[in-house]
């Protein structure tokens, strides 16, 4: 009986996993986004995040989106299907994107960005999206980064940064004994913040990793940055009583937004 149960469970797991391998890609012109928000998951593959530093983060992010009826789009490149490690194999769309480029229309005003190489494919996706937004009628827009679901190689951390030695020490530890090359040296954006620690240093680092909003949005847009629930910092003011505002919002995890409020202490 136990052997039969084990066989059935193994068969079910195999079928569940194979569903991710058998999905169909959607043509860009068939992607329809009608709501106010969208989540885009960029190349969530063990080819690039081989130590699964963002595994829990991306799974919680997708769960967060689906729980709020926010459409979810997975971007896939030439990486073999079996290296994509999302637990949920059923987004609203799978779309091919070789380098993070966005070939479909992104009209929603709130983008949740998940997965992807912070400095490469995710950066390409964000640049394409803000370029689209800049050509639309002005309105408030938000990009929310779930930091535990974004991987990075720390290439924008420089030897002159106060936290550079802590960064190299961390990377030496998590890559110890592993094969060389680009597969292993990755950490999550949240881990990077844990290395940096100081709020003023975090703010300077965040400014370096943002897409080039200064070359994209006209001066009529106000640009702000916020980390979790901290006070918003203004990167660029704009004239007028209520100018259209671009907010780059960095959140530790989707769990930070999913958790119920604490019980009152009477």
């Amino acid at each position: 009986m136990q052997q039969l149960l084990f066989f059935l469970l193994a068969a079910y797991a195999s079928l569940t996993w194979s569903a991710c391998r058998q999905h169909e890609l959607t043509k860009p012109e068939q992607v329809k986004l009608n709501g106010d928000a969208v989540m885009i998951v960029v190349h969530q593959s063990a080819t690039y995040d081989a130590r699964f530093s963002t595994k829990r983060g991306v799974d919680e992010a997708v769960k967060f989106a689906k729980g709020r009826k926010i459409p979810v789009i997975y971007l896939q490149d030439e990486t073999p299907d079996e290296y994509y490690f999302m637990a949920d194999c059923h987004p609203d769309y799978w779309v091919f994107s070789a380098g993070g480029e966005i070939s479909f229309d992104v009209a929603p005003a709130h983008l949740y960005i998940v997965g992807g190489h912070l400095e490469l494919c995710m950066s390409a996706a964000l640049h394409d999206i803000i370029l689209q937004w800049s050509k639309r009628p002005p309105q408030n827009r938000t990009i929310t980064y779930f930091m535990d679901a974004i991987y990075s190689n720390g290439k924008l951390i420089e030897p002159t940064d106060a936290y550079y030695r802590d960064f190299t020490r961390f990377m030496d530890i998590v890559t110890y004994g592993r094969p060389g090359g680009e597969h292993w040296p990755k950490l999550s954006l949240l881990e990077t913040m844990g290395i940096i620690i100081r709020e003023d240093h975090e703010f300077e680092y965040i400014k370096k990793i943002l897409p080039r909003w200064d070359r994209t949005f006209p001066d009529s847009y106000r640009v702000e940055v916020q980390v979790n629930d901290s006070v918003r910092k203004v990167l660029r003011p704009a004239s007028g009583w209520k100018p259209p505002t671009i907010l780059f919002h960095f959140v530790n995890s989707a769990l930070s937004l999913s958790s119920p409020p604490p019980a009152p202490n009477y």
Side-chain angles (χ1 to χ4, degrees), residues 21-120:
R21 302 186 184 189
Q22 297 173 356
H23 59 267
E24 294 184 1
L25 294 175
T26 303
K27 294 180 180 179
E29 61 272 16
Q30 294 176 339
V31 175
K32 305 298 180 184
L33 302 172
N34 300 317
D36 296 328
V38 62
M39 176 174 287
I40 296 180
V41 181
V42 187
H43 297 167
Q44 197 64 27
S45 169
T47 299
Y48 312 114
D49 181 15
R51 71 182 188 94
F52 284 40
S53 67
T54 57
K55 165 66 175 169
R56 176 70 186 274
V58 73
D59 289 343
E60 294 295 345
V62 172
K63 187 185 301 182
F64 166 89
K66 289 197 167 186
R68 288 157 178 77
K69 308 300 183 184
I70 297 170
V72 178
I73 301 174
Y74 290 169
L75 299 187
Q76 180 176 1
D77 64 358
E78 297 91 348
T79 301
D81 291 350
E82 60 264 27
Y83 290 151
Y84 281 79
F85 54 74
M86 300 82 69
D88 190 319
C89 298
H90 304 287
D92 293 86
Y93 303 103
W94 288 84
V95 180
F96 180 79
S97 174
E101 69 281 353
I102 301 296
S103 52
F104 50 90
D105 190 31
V106 181
H110 193 160
L111 167 67
Y112 293 91
I113 193 73
V114 173
H117 196 309
L118 175 69
E119 301 88 353
L120 295 175

Side-chain angles (χ1 to χ4, degrees), residues 51 166-174 187 191 195:
R51 71 182 188 94
D166 291 335
F167 164 71
T168 56
R169 176 61 177 156
F170 179 89
M171 295 301 283
D172 286 345
I173 291 171
V174 298
L187 73 170
E191 290 171 334
I195 292 168

Side-chain angles (χ1 to χ4, degrees), residues 19 175 236:
T175 60
R236 186 181 70 191

